[in-house]
Amino acid sequence: MSRPASSSPPRRSPLRRGALTPTLIVVAVVVVGFIFFANVWTDVLWYQQLGFFEVYLRENLARIVTFLIGFAMMFAAVFFAIRIAYRARPVYAPDAEARDNLNRYQAQLEPVRRVVMIGLPILFGLFAGSAAASQWQKVLLFFNQEPFGQSDPLFNLDISFYLMSLPFLGFITGFLISIAVVAGIAGILTHYLYGSIRLMERGVFTSRAAQIHIAVTGAFFLLLLGVNFWLDRYTTVQSSSGRWAGALYTDVNAVVPTKAILAVAAGLVAILFIVAAVIGRWRLPVIGTAMLIITAILAGGVYPWVIQQFQVRPSENTLEREFIGRNINMTRAAYGLDKIDVSAYNATTTAASGALAKDAQTAANIRLLDPNLISSAFSQLEQYRPYYQFPQSLNVDRYTVDGKVQDTVIAVRELNPDGLSANQQTWVNRHIVYTHGYGVVAAKGNKFTADGKPEFLQSGIPSSGVLGNDTSYQPRIYFGENSPEYSIVGAPEGAPHREQDRPAGREGGGETQYTFTGNGGPNVGNWLNRILYSIKFQSSDLLLSDGVNEKSQILYDRNPRERVEKLAPYLTVDGNAYPAVVDGRVKWIVDGYTTSQYFPYSQPQQLQNATADSQTSSGRTVALPNSSVNYIRNSVKATVDAYDGSVTLYAWDDHDPLLKAWQKVFPTSLKPYSEMSGDLMSHVRYPEDLFKVQRELLGRYHVTDADSFYQNNDAWSVPNDPTVSEAVKQPPFYMSLQMPDQNKPAFQLTSSFIPQTVNGNARNILYGFLAADSDAGNVKGVKADSYGKLRLLQLPTDTQVPGPGQAQNKFNSDPTVSQALNLLRQGASDVLNGNLLTLPVGGGLLYVQPVYLKSTGETSYPTLQRVLVAFGDKIGFAPTLDEALDQLFGGNSGAKAGDAENNGQTPSNPSGTTTPPDNSTDAKADLKAALDDANKAIQDGQAALAKGDFAGYGSQQTKLSEALKKALDAETRLGVTPAPTASPSASPSQSPSPSPSSSPGK
């Protein structure tokens, strides 16, 4: 008899169902592994292409080795702690009820016991290995350290011990203590779980094996604690917890001795733990541990507090004098302030006729173009296409023109892919067609055209000017501060060009295409590399596009600063990379710093705060990271080729022990500065961020007497930038300047000082002026002796020399200046105050500020229309700097400014300036009549607007415009009479405050 057919569907095979999960896991592991491989291998290709594979290999090898050692140590400690505790478990437990509870836990753990006993150590090992790998720089510095040849004043040890040995020893000690704690806890928990440790009514039961285990672990922990106490003695010289950095009176006389006592005590208690493990008696180690804790509280905390409160505070000035002196000397050495040249400058406030005769060269080079304001002028005059752009802030450099050094405002015309129209925003256009910018644009810093535009030294498409042309230098910008994320370039010989090269320029000619011919990035011609980079950039177009061929290269990581940071991970990179035409190429010059936070007795600084100013707050300059340092050197000058991205690192400060140590780690990555060409040398500058850190410290550390330093009665501050509305520091300025002790001008980085600002209040008078010599010379491989020389002019405190804020206030409140600027604002234009420069010339301090006029249209740009100058209590205001200086110095300054040839010229811009001076009565009458007409037009226009009479309002606006033109014409015919000094009794209505539009940040 046959069985009836089953109505239920056939079940799926358990084997087939069970194989799905492992398959998915394997596939996921393979995918993740391939993605990881793609990122690693593309990094390898990138470093190899640049010739810095050594850096990648050694850095990652150091990370891997420290990870493995850290992992192995933690894994072994936790694994053997658990294993020893498990193997020492008792066969019988003394308490049946407790045994039953533990048996339940043991029964639940038993199925996964082997996994837990292996997995838990692995988990802790991964955490420990990751923590260890992050300390790879400390490890490498320890094994490659270089002596400083200078000792600390307390322990008389070489400075290298504190910068390169002590951080490593502290890391090792802390790491071993962590291992001891984690392994000890793991062992104790295992002993408890398996009955070797029991909580009973009469106390705690501990088996003999558990006692030995705990004793050995405790002894090891206490030995490490003793070592840590001993090392803490040395860290006192790095302390910043007191009013001054370093070991102070309490540290030297209380903390250091008690740390030594605690170190010995910890060692003795560790011995007691070993004795307890042998004899089985715990009274002595318990008493010893209690005594150690009490000693640590009393000797390590209470005793120093008592010394500080009852001995130091009543006589702080006397007792701390020696240690304040150490702090002053070591801080100045750590920041490069120990060789600063300080001189008294008895500045006069009297603007005498002919006062600038001795400073004629400086006067001729005074910079009028503000690199923060004229970016839009460069864009409107030199951008040519919306897919080009200029940076928000341009750079100041110098070039030799007609045998003379010319301060220059310079920028590169970079690519702006976002400027493409919507229908052009395709992958091919963004990554294959539009790949690079084109050309350098440079203008004279001390001159402008008659209508207020920059006077270009280098401009146009094709690029032409005194810096070269398309045949004498490579104008294409593939690597810059605003380059696309990546581009695909290159093609076989004879293949059609696909890259947009340059549009038709004013000189004529059509659009041109181009093919990159350099070695700028890894090859993506083979399928493996294409797949890997498609994964890296998550782009299927890169994999499938016919624009990628066997000769294609991929360009990425194109920002010069970020490029240097990847190739020199031990450097802190300056926030402002700048371009220069060097040896027929456009090179980005990047400054790199070696830093440390471990220099003894040196005052720490937060880099982000110390370098903050109106440039960083507005985003024009990259802010440095928020890290603390107390030692800094400009050890490396780097160049990044704007065409092929090649990077060269030069060991600039080859005496820096930190740099020497890193050269031992990466022996082939840096070149000596003796290989720098003379052309490159001539464009080296003193770096801005280093200078800003130094000036921040110099506000207090210009005082070298310990008593005066303690009293803090001569502290200075960097003045706030008076041209912006926010309370942020004034940035330093590059300019060609002849300091009083120099026989010729040099390219300098400058800043000024006012009395210390307390709660936002300060007397805005000048106390000091700082200049850093930025001329390295122009001889191949030879650094000028004067380069990097810091010169500080100290002004007498009894001379009331106006500071930048006071000078700006005089400009804003002067009735004649205010009236003229308000007239310009009425004409649908904004008046922008340029950077306020301070120059020690004429025996005093001269302030120079260009004034720009910008209409409200979308395509408008600022044109330089007036120049304000101040010396002492007098100010001058004229269409040119040359005229303004003559006004200021009694009709004859004794020198000619760079814009002297513009005197008497009539600008084409109706909002602009000058016609030949005519101080006739008719001109004065015309000015008064025009001003009256303008005021009447404004009043009538407002009245018409209130009535809703828009036609009448428009008519009055036309009359206002005509009246303003007549007023400006009459004003320039008068030659702009010297502006009188604002009277202290002037009413507020006569001294209007600057409008928000006067800020360059607006």
Side-chain angles (χ1 to χ4, degrees):
M1 184 175 178
S2 63
R3 290 182 178 181
S6 175
S7 60
S8 61
R11 294 183 178 179
R12 298 178 64 183
S13 168
L15 181 63
R16 187 178 304 170
R17 219 176 32 241
L20 178 61
T21 300
T23 302
L24 292 176
I25 292 174
V26 169
V27 170
V29 169
V30 169
V31 170
V32 172
F34 191 74
I35 293 173
F36 176 77
F37 170 75
N39 284 283
V40 170
W41 189 246
T42 52
D43 280 345
V44 169
L45 294 176
W46 189 84
Y47 280 91
Q48 282 183 330
Q49 185 273 325
L50 281 168
F52 283 81
F53 182 65
E54 170 195 77
V55 174
Y56 179 82
L57 181 63
R58 296 198 174 204
E59 177 187 345
N60 284 281
L61 188 62
R63 290 180 183 272
I64 291 170
V65 170
T66 52
F67 173 85
L68 291 176
I69 293 174
F71 173 85
M73 292 175 68
M74 180 64 81
F75 173 85
V78 176
F79 175 79
F80 284 109
I82 295 174
R83 184 173 180 82
I84 290 171
Y86 175 75
R87 295 185 66 179
R89 66 194 185 281
V91 178
Y92 300 105
D95 191 309
E97 182 180 353
R99 184 185 62 211
D100 291 341
N101 291 331
L102 289 175
N103 283 341
R104 286 197 294 270
Y105 296 138
Q106 293 169 12
Q108 293 174 359
L109 179 64
E110 190 60 29
V112 293
R113 176 178 57 80
R114 293 181 182 275
V115 175
V116 171
M117 293 180 68
I118 296 293
L120 201 61
I122 288 176
L123 180 64
F124 282 110
L126 290 174
F127 284 120
S130 299
S134 67
Q135 305 297 314
W136 67 275
Q137 293 193 13
K138 292 179 181 178
V139 175
L140 290 180
L141 280 179
F142 176 77
F143 288 106
N144 296 277
Q145 58 186 282
E146 284 281 322
F148 271 70
Q150 177 186 359
S151 300
D152 78 283
L154 180 59
F155 297 104
N156 201 32
L157 296 173
D158 190 89
I159 301 298
S160 62
F161 170 77
Y162 297 97
L163 269 67
M164 305 182 201
S165 294
L166 190 57
F168 172 78
L169 296 175
F171 155 63
I172 292 297
T173 305
F175 187 75
L176 291 176
I177 288 176
S178 300
I179 289 177
V181 171
V182 173
I185 293 174
I188 290 172
L189 290 177
T190 305
H191 278 299
Y192 175 77
L193 183 63
Y194 286 96
S196 296
I197 299 176
R198 294 291 183 88
L199 300 177
M200 304 175 63
E201 292 182 1
R202 291 174 295 177
V204 179
F205 167 79
T206 309
S207 70
R208 178 68 178 152
Q211 290 179 3
I212 295 174
H213 190 172
I214 294 172
V216 172
T217 302
F220 181 64
F221 172 80
L222 286 166
L223 284 174
L224 291 174
L225 192 62
V227 173
N228 195 59
F229 280 135
W230 190 260
L231 292 178
D232 280 348
R233 297 166 61 250
Y234 301 109
T235 61
T236 56
V237 300
Q238 301 168 330
S239 172
S240 58
S241 59
R243 291 183 60 186
W244 308 277
L248 305 178
Y249 182 90
T250 301
D251 297 309
V252 172
N253 294 280
V255 175
V256 171
T258 55
K259 291 291 184 182
I261 294 171
L262 289 171
V264 174
L268 293 175
V269 177
I271 295 174
L272 293 179
F273 268 84
I274 297 298
V275 172
V278 175
I279 66 176
R281 296 182 180 275
W282 287 86
R283 175 173 295 181
L284 288 178
V286 169
I287 294 174
T289 301
M291 291 300 296
L292 180 62
I293 294 173
I294 294 172
T295 303
I297 294 173
L298 294 178
V302 176
Y303 176 59
W305 181 83
V306 170
I307 294 294
Q308 180 67 31
Q309 291 297 115
F310 299 102
Q311 186 174 351
V312 175
R313 284 190 63 182
S315 307
E316 189 174 49
N317 187 17
T318 303
L319 296 181
E320 300 287 22
R321 181 182 294 117
E322 177 186 358
F323 308 104
I324 293 173
R326 294 177 180 180
N327 172 260
I328 293 171
N329 294 333
M330 299 298 280
T331 298
R332 287 169 65 90
Y335 291 95
L337 300 174
D338 50 340
K339 296 180 181 178
I340 190 169
D341 186 0
V342 182
S343 58
Y345 187 61
N346 296 316
T348 180
T349 56
T350 303
S353 178
L356 299 185
K358 294 181 179 180
D359 300 291
Q361 289 181 284
T362 297
N365 284 317
I366 294 175
R367 180 169 52 78
L368 295 172
L369 293 191
D370 184 347
N372 301 320
L373 288 183
I374 62 170
S375 176
S376 56
F378 272 47
S379 297
Q380 290 299 320
L381 299 173
E382 289 292 327
Q383 183 171 310
Y384 288 95
R385 293 293 186 274
Y387 52 79
Y388 288 136
Q389 64 179 327
F390 288 98
Q392 185 182 5
S393 179
L394 312 185
N395 280 285
V396 179
D397 200 354
R398 70 281 194 202
Y399 289 84
T400 301
V401 180
D402 297 329
K404 296 181 180 180
V405 176
Q406 171 72 60
D407 283 10
T408 306
V409 177
I410 189 170
V412 293
R413 191 185 288 108
E414 290 198 55
L415 183 67
N416 176 25
D418 294 332
L420 298 173
S421 60
N423 61 354
Q424 290 179 299
Q425 293 288 345
T426 64
W427 183 88
V428 171
N429 275 340
R430 291 183 67 91
H431 298 288
I432 292 180
V433 176
Y434 294 93
T435 58
H436 61 275
Y438 188 90
V440 167
V441 178
K444 296 179 180 179
N446 62 339
K447 297 184 179 181
F448 55 95
T449 64
D451 54 354
K453 298 176 184 176
E455 186 172 316
F456 291 107
L457 291 167
Q458 188 77 21
S459 61
I461 292 181
S463 184
S464 62
V466 298
L467 308 187
N469 53 42
D470 284 9
T471 59
S472 62
Y473 89 100
Q474 174 56 262
R476 296 169 183 87
I477 311 297
Y478 283 89
F479 293 83
E481 296 178 308
N482 296 289
S483 297
E485 181 184 17
Y486 68 93
S487 294
I488 309 296
V489 299
E493 188 175 350
H497 300 308
R498 301 196 64 167
E499 299 177 48
Q500 174 70 21
D501 189 33
R502 67 181 188 221
R506 285 191 298 236
E507 294 82 356
E511 305 266 334
T512 62
Q513 274 68 46
Y514 181 75
T515 298
F516 180 78
T517 58
N519 179 23
N523 179 272
V524 286
N526 61 71
W527 276 99
L528 175 61
N529 287 1
R530 289 180 70 171
I531 293 172
L532 296 179
Y533 277 106
S534 296
I535 293 173
K536 181 180 181 68
F537 291 109
Q538 301 179 19
S539 171
S540 59
D541 295 304
L542 195 156
L543 179 65
L544 303 174
S545 173
D546 62 354
V548 184
N549 55 68
E550 66 272 15
K551 295 293 184 181
S552 289
Q553 303 172 39
I554 184 166
L555 313 181
Y556 61 99
D557 287 338
R558 300 159 78 172
N559 184 290
R561 291 185 66 261
E562 296 171 1
R563 209 165 173 82
V564 172
E565 285 175 336
K566 285 188 68 173
L567 298 178
Y570 50 88
L571 294 178
T572 299
V573 176
D574 191 89
N576 187 16
Y578 61 99
V581 179
V582 175
D583 300 320
R585 312 281 285 198
V586 179
K587 301 275 191 179
W588 292 96
I589 301 177
V590 185
D591 287 285
Y593 309 115
T594 44
T595 61
S596 177
Q597 58 180 327
Y598 302 113
F599 201 91
Y601 276 102
S602 178
Q603 199 70 26
Q605 291 286 291
Q606 291 289 334
L607 282 180
Q608 190 176 80
N609 295 335
T611 59
D613 58 19
S614 59
Q615 293 290 87
T616 58
S617 66
S618 63
R620 297 188 184 103
T621 301
V622 178
L624 291 192
N626 190 25
S627 57
S628 178
V629 304
N630 67 0
Y631 172 87
I632 185 169
R633 288 291 185 272
N634 178 210
S635 53
V636 172
K637 299 285 187 183
T639 63
V640 179
D641 194 295
Y643 180 73
D644 61 19
S646 57
V647 179
T648 307
L649 305 177
Y650 295 100
W652 184 249
D653 187 351
D654 51 5
H655 298 294
D656 176 33
L658 278 181
L659 182 64
K660 289 181 179 180
W662 285 117
Q663 284 181 290
K664 291 169 68 174
V665 176
F666 306 116
T668 66
S669 66
L670 287 104
K671 295 182 178 181
Y673 75 81
S674 59
E675 296 187 20
M676 295 174 70
S677 70
D679 202 6
L680 177 57
M681 280 283 190
S682 67
H683 293 288
V684 165
R685 306 187 313 193
Y686 197 85
E688 290 183 66
D689 285 329
L690 172 61
F691 184 80
K692 287 192 280 188
V693 170
Q694 289 175 321
R695 72 172 182 175
E696 187 71 17
L697 279 158
L698 206 59
R700 290 199 67 193
Y701 286 88
H702 68 279
V703 177
T704 56
D705 177 72
D707 289 334
S708 297
F709 191 90
Y710 174 82
Q711 295 167 10
N712 199 32
N713 56 10
D714 190 24
W716 301 344
S717 293
V718 177
N720 286 335
D721 191 341
T723 66
V724 298
S725 57
E726 299 87 0
V728 290
K729 296 170 190 170
Q730 187 179 43
F733 298 116
Y734 287 104
M735 66 180 81
S736 288
L737 173 67
Q738 181 176 334
M739 293 289 281
D741 66 333
Q742 293 179 294
N743 53 20
K744 63 178 181 179
F747 193 63
Q748 316 253 17
L749 184 58
T750 66
S751 185
S752 56
F753 296 97
I754 61 173
Q756 185 178 40
T757 302
V758 179
N759 298 324
N761 298 315
R763 296 175 63 213
N764 207 283
I765 58 174
L766 216 61
Y767 269 18
F769 181 86
L770 179 66
D773 195 313
S774 294
D775 275 340
N778 56 7
V779 179
K780 181 181 184 299
V782 178
K783 189 193 306 184
D785 293 336
S786 61
Y787 174 84
K789 182 71 174 177
L790 293 174
R791 293 179 172 87
L792 176 64
L793 303 181
Q794 285 188 298
L795 280 69
T797 55
D798 58 350
T799 303
Q800 302 293 311
V801 178
Q806 279 195 19
Q808 186 70 61
N809 185 61
K810 286 180 181 295
F811 294 154
N812 295 338
S813 62
D814 184 87
T816 303
V817 174
S818 298
Q819 186 179 50
L821 297 184
N822 284 333
L823 281 174
L824 296 177
R825 292 188 184 100
Q826 295 288 352
S829 296
D830 291 332
V831 174
L832 307 177
N833 291 333
N835 46 205
L836 183 61
L837 303 181
T838 308
L839 301 96
V841 294
L845 275 301
L846 171 69
Y847 290 98
V848 177
Q849 183 175 60
V851 179
Y852 293 84
L853 188 64
K854 182 180 180 181
S855 66
T856 55
E858 292 184 2
T859 60
S860 64
Y861 57 89
T863 57
L864 199 155
Q865 297 296 334
R866 293 288 188 275
V867 181
L868 285 161
V869 293
F871 192 97
D873 292 329
K874 292 184 65 178
I875 70 171
F877 181 54
T880 66
L881 173 60
D882 191 67
E883 289 180 290
L885 291 176
D886 284 341
Q887 286 182 18
L888 189 63
F889 292 97
N892 178 20
S893 67
K896 288 293 183 183
D899 63 348
E901 62 187 30
N902 284 359
N903 290 346
Q905 296 190 36
T906 303
S908 59
N909 189 328
S911 300
T913 58
T914 64
T915 56
D918 177 8
N919 294 317
S920 66
T921 304
D922 291 341
K924 293 180 180 179
D926 290 345
L927 175 60
K928 184 179 185 306
L931 292 175
D932 290 341
D933 291 343
N935 287 327
K936 186 175 186 304
I938 292 171
Q939 294 172 3
D940 292 346
Q942 292 298 320
L945 192 62
K947 297 177 182 178
D949 183 4
F950 294 104
Y953 176 75
S955 175
Q956 294 303 323
Q957 289 301 300
T958 302
K959 292 180 180 180
L960 173 61
S961 178
E962 293 174 353
L964 289 174
K965 289 179 182 179
K966 291 178 182 178
L968 288 168
D969 179 62
E971 180 199 24
T972 52
R973 282 158 51 203
L974 285 167
V976 188
T977 56
T981 302
S983 170
S985 61
S987 67
S989 62
Q990 292 174 320
S991 305
S993 59
S995 71
S997 63
S998 65
S999 167
K1002 298 294 180 183

